[in-house]
Amino acid sequence: MFQLEMHYEIHSEQIYQFLYFITFDVQLAEDLMQETFIRAYEARHSYREDANVLTWLRTIARNIAYDHFKRRKRIRFLRLEENIMIELSAEQLVHIEEEKRELYQAIASLKLNYRMAIVLRKIEGLSIKEAAEILGWNEAKVKNNTERGMLALKKAMGGDLHG
């Protein structure tokens, strides 16, 4: 049986982060995350016990994000946050923040399919198979969209992209 409270406690932060990387909007990501769990609860009868809950929730979240973008006809993207503590001078911090801002703007300019593939593969570190399951694509489409997205991102960054 699908236990909403338990899964919310365990997975809400990951679902929020996934949606934030797609929307680049704190409030919208929060709203879509709440909608994800509401829909999951409503569809709990369709959940297969042998399925990965996080994959199922990400798929629901992806569908909700697609629906939102279809309604709004606008696409925005992410703000990466790293949980790494290092000591930086004010000048270094300003330089890093400027580079991050440029990266976010470049990612925000990508087609949604490229963005979704990059978020799942390069930011969340999922395998091609896991991303394909979440996106409802075949593995070749995930690989192609990731590669094309990275090329488009590199071009948008003026060829200055590491990794």
Side-chain angles (χ1 to χ4, degrees):
M1 182 165 157
F2 184 79
Q3 297 176 353
L4 180 67
E5 290 178 20
M6 178 185 74
H7 292 300
Y8 183 87
E9 186 80 24
I10 295 169
H11 302 296
S12 61
E13 183 60 32
Q14 290 172 291
I15 297 301
Y16 168 81
Q17 185 176 29
F18 171 68
L19 289 164
Y20 183 70
F21 286 157
I22 295 166
T23 64
F24 198 35
D25 182 315
V26 171
Q27 188 58 53
L28 179 58
E30 179 72 28
D31 292 346
L32 297 178
M33 189 256 315
Q34 296 295 332
E35 179 66 22
T36 297
F37 283 92
I38 290 168
R39 286 203 195 164
Y41 181 75
E42 291 170 350
R44 66 191 179 279
H45 63 279
S46 68
Y47 173 69
R48 294 185 338 265
E49 293 296 324
D50 62 328
N52 180 304
V53 174
L54 184 56
T55 299
W56 184 63
L57 290 170
R58 278 188 178 128
T59 301
I60 293 169
R62 183 229 34 213
N63 291 338
I64 289 170
Y66 277 159
D67 291 347
H68 170 78
F69 292 135
K70 285 177 191 173
R71 282 192 311 272
R72 299 277 189 217
K73 297 286 188 208
R74 70 182 175 120
I75 299 172
R76 294 172 53 187
F77 195 59
L78 84 124
R79 180 177 167 196
L80 300 173
E81 294 295 333
E82 296 187 26
N83 294 322
I84 300 172
M85 300 298 292
I86 55 175
E87 190 173 328
L88 299 171
S89 70
E91 185 177 315
Q92 289 171 316
L93 188 57
V94 167
H95 180 70
I96 288 171
E97 289 302 314
E98 176 65 19
E99 286 180 348
K100 282 173 50 177
R101 186 184 60 72
E102 290 173 9
L103 176 61
Y104 306 152
Q105 288 175 340
I107 292 172
S109 72
L110 298 177
K111 290 177 22 179
L112 181 59
N113 283 353
Y114 292 172
R115 190 176 318 156
M116 289 285 214
I118 289 172
V119 166
L120 292 173
R121 294 281 295 127
K122 301 298 184 179
I123 296 172
E124 294 199 4
L126 299 181
S127 69
I128 292 172
K129 183 177 181 177
E130 291 168 323
E133 186 174 342
I134 290 166
L135 294 169
W137 299 346
N138 62 42
E139 291 181 20
K141 184 172 180 178
V142 171
K143 187 175 180 182
N144 288 336
N145 276 282
T146 302
E147 290 172 2
R148 290 176 184 158
M150 291 303 291
L151 289 172
L153 184 57
K154 184 174 182 176
K155 184 177 178 183
M157 295 290 296
D160 187 28
L161 186 63
H162 308 286

